[in-house]
Amino acid sequence: MAISGLFRKKTVQDILKQVEKNNADGANALSKHLTGRDLTAFGIAAIVGAGIFSTIGKASADGGPAVIFLFLFTAIACSFAAFAYAEFASMVPVSGSAYTYSYVAFGEIIAWIIGWALIMEYSVGNITVAISWSDYFTGLLESGGLNLPQWIQMDFLSASNGFDDATALMQGGKEFSNLSPSLQNAYTAWTTSPVIGSFHFVADLPALLIIVLITALIYRGMKESRNASNIMVVVKLCVVLLVIAVGIFYVDTANWDPFAPNGVTGVLKGVSAVFFAYIGFDAISTTAEECKNPQRDLPRGMMWAIIICTVLYIAIALVLTGMVNFSLLNVGDPLAFVFQQLDLKWMSGIIAVSAVVAMASVLLVFQMGQPRIWMSMSRDGLLPKRFSKVHPKYKTPSYATVVTGFVVAVPALFLNLTLVTDLCSIGTLFAFVLVCAGVLALQNRTDIPRGKFKTPYVNSKYVIPFLIVAGLVFAFGFNKKATMDFITNEAKTNTSETIVTALNKEDTKKVYDYLVQIDPKNSKDGNVDLEHLLGQYQKDEVKYSEVIAGLPLANSIKYESGFSLFKHKVPMWIFLIVLVGLTVWSFKSNLSLIPLLGLICCLYMMAELSVWNWIYFGIWLLLGLVIYFGFSHKNSKLNLKAL
């Protein structure tokens, strides 16, 4: 197999000719219904969802009011990427999104990799949103007096892991009533579920329900999907504005002091959650062939969606952290929670209903994007022909839409929220990195027709080195301890919950006896809640370190060190090495600043994700390469054309 064949490229001219041909014969053409306003609404529908109704709570609890800077940073990073998307969308107004853009910039193998990554982004993103929708929907039913059994409203993985953790904590002396609500629910789901042999039937059936309904709507047509999306966007924007308007009268500015209680580390801890709040604007680019004027409206739709949503996110974050102390916001439904705390239950009810609508609109946009990626890949011969089939009446990619429904529905029954959120984020960030890199690779090419939108050019030759020097001054001047701990791989003390859940019965007794020995009050009233006894010291970092050092346990239980710690830093080391290479490239080639900053910011956010997400993502890409070399390479239309 010739290496050059892996990097064969599509030309913009050929892509545009194929689109004209599809429009002329009508059989493979999609219906054109979307305007700039519709695209902005789709962007808002995708962005204002799980982020504002769920993940903003955890991010605010970690970073305090200063989480607004994380929203700003993420919005700026996404805006840099949006410039690159907009330039490509204006240049190549077809449904393939980053997949098609990479085919033009880098060649077939990279296009396949990014298309395969986008399948992960949309599939896993849909799973994430479906699970979140299920949580809000079942909560709404419970508030109305209808309690579904736990085993039909929780995924298998959460129930299994939660049962194991709950059992370990109860073995350490914690009462069931003192477990967190999530662990109580998981334990109940596992122990009350139907059992077939040794298999516990635990499945998130409400998540399955919403996926089936949304898939049916998307199959029916773009016009119907657009109308439903616009209605849902109006509803949730009204609710968000109502929350801000009412909540502002209950803001206590004392809650904003300290503004950054956990410093920069606390703010950056929410990178994954906050970034997940923004993904979705790229889904707009998959609708290019259904736009009336894609070269004008796609860039506008992306930019306006990001600007509007950023303003809303910052306003909501300031209101939430002003209404209650930031430490109370680590809940799944922060908007409803803060109004419950202030005894405004009528607002909580409105928010609960609107959250169900908001999640459904996000799922609609995500579920709409994936079939169009598959359709584009099928048109190029990289997937079987039936994936590019357009319904003769509804003018939608019908087969791909149905397959998408199955691909999302089945995993949603069994996978948990944390795993799929991070996987979705890494797939999306990878796509953003390649799109930004694509703009840089094409910036000096004169043989490519340009669209109406072009990213403003600013030479990065001296800006990037200056920013790196500024970063080094901050790291070693204002954050020296954390920086040196990172470089020297300093051992990290495990949390009380991590330690307790790793103990057997013998070690549990040893730890309890030690805690009573250092403070007899720990035996008061026969309290043997080991996680609580050990966790009470965590508020004082120095004291906690002393207590952990004295525990009669192996260091492997008390600390994370050596390679087990270093492996989590591998993504950041990869980022730093690539950053040096990008700096050299920018100096030699006078790269455009905006797409380069987009690439750097997105790669940094990838580095902040767990190494396990990189490993799972790597496995996903390897599986994709097996399919590519087994089917796609030989069936590629470019390959057949070359024969």
Side-chain angles (χ1 to χ4, degrees):
M1 179 189 302
I3 296 295
S4 59
L6 299 177
F7 295 94
R8 52 198 173 207
K9 299 176 182 178
K10 293 179 70 175
T11 66
V12 175
Q13 293 88 341
D14 286 343
I15 294 172
L16 296 178
K17 285 178 183 177
Q18 184 60 48
V19 172
E20 290 177 6
K21 182 180 177 182
N22 291 340
N23 291 335
D25 63 30
N28 294 312
L30 302 177
S31 54
K32 295 183 180 293
H33 292 293
L34 304 180
T35 64
R37 185 174 58 185
D38 296 324
L39 293 172
T40 302
F42 272 136
I44 296 172
I47 298 172
V48 179
I52 213 161
F53 286 96
S54 180
T55 56
I56 193 174
K58 175 68 166 62
S60 298
D62 289 333
V67 75
I68 64 170
F69 296 120
L70 183 55
F71 281 114
L72 278 173
F73 168 71
T74 308
I76 291 170
C78 287
S79 296
F80 291 150
F83 270 106
Y85 265 93
E87 182 165 340
F88 266 123
S90 179
M91 185 192 311
V92 193
V94 295
S95 295
S97 184
Y99 157 75
T100 302
Y101 309 156
S102 297
Y103 219 146
V104 172
F106 302 115
E108 186 171 283
I109 185 66
I110 304 299
W112 168 265
I113 289 173
I114 197 64
W116 191 245
L118 286 171
I119 291 174
M120 168 180 276
E121 173 193 344
Y122 289 116
S123 297
V124 176
N126 292 345
I127 294 167
T128 305
V129 178
I131 294 171
S132 294
W133 183 90
S134 174
D135 291 342
Y136 270 95
F137 180 68
T138 53
L140 187 61
L141 292 181
E142 287 176 9
S143 66
L146 179 59
N147 295 309
L148 300 177
Q150 285 294 333
W151 56 271
I152 69 169
Q153 57 176 296
M154 179 174 289
D155 63 273
F156 179 90
L157 201 57
S158 290
S160 176
N161 293 341
F163 173 79
D164 292 341
D165 288 345
T167 302
L169 289 172
M170 287 190 289
Q171 178 182 295
K174 187 178 282 291
E175 295 290 335
F176 178 79
S177 58
N178 291 330
L179 294 173
S180 67
S182 60
L183 285 182
Q184 290 184 26
N185 291 338
Y187 187 89
T188 302
W190 190 257
T191 54
T192 60
S193 63
V195 180
I196 304 172
S198 60
F199 177 77
H200 289 250
F201 183 82
V202 182
D204 197 339
L205 296 184
L208 174 65
L209 170 67
I210 189 60
I211 291 168
V212 171
L213 292 177
I214 292 294
T215 301
L217 175 61
I218 294 168
Y219 184 93
R220 181 68 175 76
M222 175 55 76
K223 189 174 181 180
E224 290 75 11
S225 301
R226 177 201 65 186
N227 293 341
S229 173
N230 288 345
I231 292 170
M232 288 188 279
V233 166
V234 170
V235 170
K236 64 184 178 182
L237 283 183
C238 288
V239 171
V240 168
L241 293 174
L242 178 64
V243 168
I244 295 171
V246 174
I248 199 168
F249 291 102
Y250 294 89
V251 168
D252 181 358
T253 54
N255 288 324
W256 290 339
D257 185 20
F259 200 72
N262 298 316
V264 175
T265 303
V267 173
L268 292 177
K269 194 174 180 181
V271 161
S272 176
V274 170
F275 175 74
F276 182 75
Y278 275 96
I279 68 174
F281 78 83
D282 60 317
I284 300 174
S285 63
T286 67
T287 65
E289 290 181 45
E290 290 147 292
C291 298
K292 294 179 179 179
N293 189 347
Q295 293 183 313
R296 181 195 67 189
D297 293 337
L298 279 170
R300 291 182 181 180
M302 290 181 190
M303 296 303 177
W304 276 114
I306 290 176
I307 291 169
I308 292 170
C309 293
T310 300
V311 172
L312 292 176
Y313 276 140
I314 291 175
I316 283 288
L318 287 174
V319 168
L320 289 182
T321 54
M323 292 174 71
V324 300
N325 186 274
F326 71 93
S327 61
L328 301 176
L329 290 172
N330 189 12
V331 293
D333 53 347
L335 268 65
F337 171 78
V338 294
F339 286 102
Q340 286 173 354
Q341 293 293 299
L342 297 171
D343 203 28
L344 296 174
K345 294 182 179 179
W346 62 274
M347 276 293 294
S348 296
I350 292 174
I351 291 168
V353 173
S354 66
V356 171
V357 174
M359 298 293 183
S361 71
V362 177
L363 185 61
L364 172 67
V365 179
F366 275 40
Q367 198 78 342
M368 183 176 63
Q370 183 176 316
R372 285 152 179 80
I373 299 292
W374 283 0
M375 180 185 71
S376 295
M377 296 174 76
S378 175
R379 285 175 174 175
D380 296 329
L382 304 187
L383 289 177
K385 286 184 178 180
R386 60 179 58 188
F387 280 91
S388 58
K389 180 182 177 182
V390 174
H391 195 283
K393 179 180 178 181
Y394 300 134
K395 297 298 180 182
T396 57
S398 51
Y399 180 81
T401 299
V402 173
V403 172
T404 296
F406 278 103
V407 168
V408 175
V410 175
L413 295 172
F414 306 109
L415 295 181
N416 69 20
L417 191 60
T418 302
L419 175 65
V420 292
T421 299
D422 288 347
L423 281 176
C424 181
S425 294
I426 196 169
T428 307
L429 285 166
F430 184 68
F432 287 5
V433 165
L434 283 187
V435 171
C436 292
V439 170
L440 294 173
L442 298 179
Q443 73 172 30
N444 295 322
R445 291 267 299 273
T446 58
D447 58 332
I448 295 178
R450 302 289 174 174
K452 296 178 181 178
F453 180 87
K454 194 169 189 312
T455 304
Y457 176 79
V458 177
N459 194 334
S460 64
K461 185 172 185 176
Y462 299 109
V463 177
I464 295 299
F466 172 78
L467 292 177
I468 289 179
V469 170
L472 290 173
V473 169
F474 173 81
F476 288 97
F478 300 94
N479 201 28
K480 185 175 181 179
K481 184 180 185 305
T483 303
M484 294 306 300
D485 286 350
F486 174 83
I487 295 173
T488 60
N489 203 40
E490 183 71 22
K492 180 182 176 184
T493 306
N494 284 325
T495 64
S496 59
E497 184 172 346
T498 300
I499 293 172
V500 172
T501 53
L503 302 180
N504 56 34
K505 288 186 178 180
E506 183 181 345
D507 286 334
T508 298
K509 187 175 186 313
K510 286 182 182 178
V511 171
Y512 176 67
D513 291 342
Y514 170 76
L515 293 177
V516 172
Q517 177 187 331
I518 63 172
D519 188 351
K521 288 188 294 185
N522 285 329
S523 64
K524 185 179 180 181
D525 299 327
N527 184 354
V528 290
D529 184 346
L530 199 59
E531 194 274 332
H532 170 73
L533 293 180
L534 194 56
Q536 66 184 334
Y537 297 105
Q538 286 188 176
K539 296 178 181 178
D540 185 338
E541 186 176 339
V542 175
K543 179 65 176 176
Y544 182 67
S545 297
E546 292 175 356
V547 171
I548 297 301
L551 289 177
L553 298 172
N555 283 341
S556 60
I557 297 177
K558 297 189 291 185
Y559 303 105
E560 190 174 22
S561 60
F563 181 74
S564 64
L565 177 62
F566 177 77
K567 67 186 179 186
H568 297 294
K569 300 176 180 179
V570 170
M572 186 58 70
W573 279 113
I574 292 174
F575 166 75
L576 294 173
I577 292 169
V578 173
L579 181 60
V580 172
L582 290 173
T583 303
V584 174
W585 186 24
S586 69
F587 196 83
K588 285 185 175 180
S589 303
N590 298 317
L591 297 180
S592 178
L593 180 64
I594 291 177
L596 182 58
L597 287 175
L599 193 162
I600 292 172
C601 291
C602 292
L603 192 60
Y604 170 76
M605 287 191 282
M606 284 183 70
E608 285 287 344
L609 296 176
S610 163
V611 67
W612 295 112
N613 292 299
W614 284 64
I615 292 172
Y616 297 146
F617 184 58
I619 293 171
W620 175 259
L621 293 184
L622 287 175
L623 175 62
L625 289 176
V626 170
I627 296 174
Y628 174 77
F629 288 113
F631 174 85
S632 306
H633 181 75
K634 61 184 177 182
N635 289 284
S636 164
K637 288 188 176 179
L638 290 185
N639 183 52
L640 297 176
K641 187 177 179 181
L643 295 178

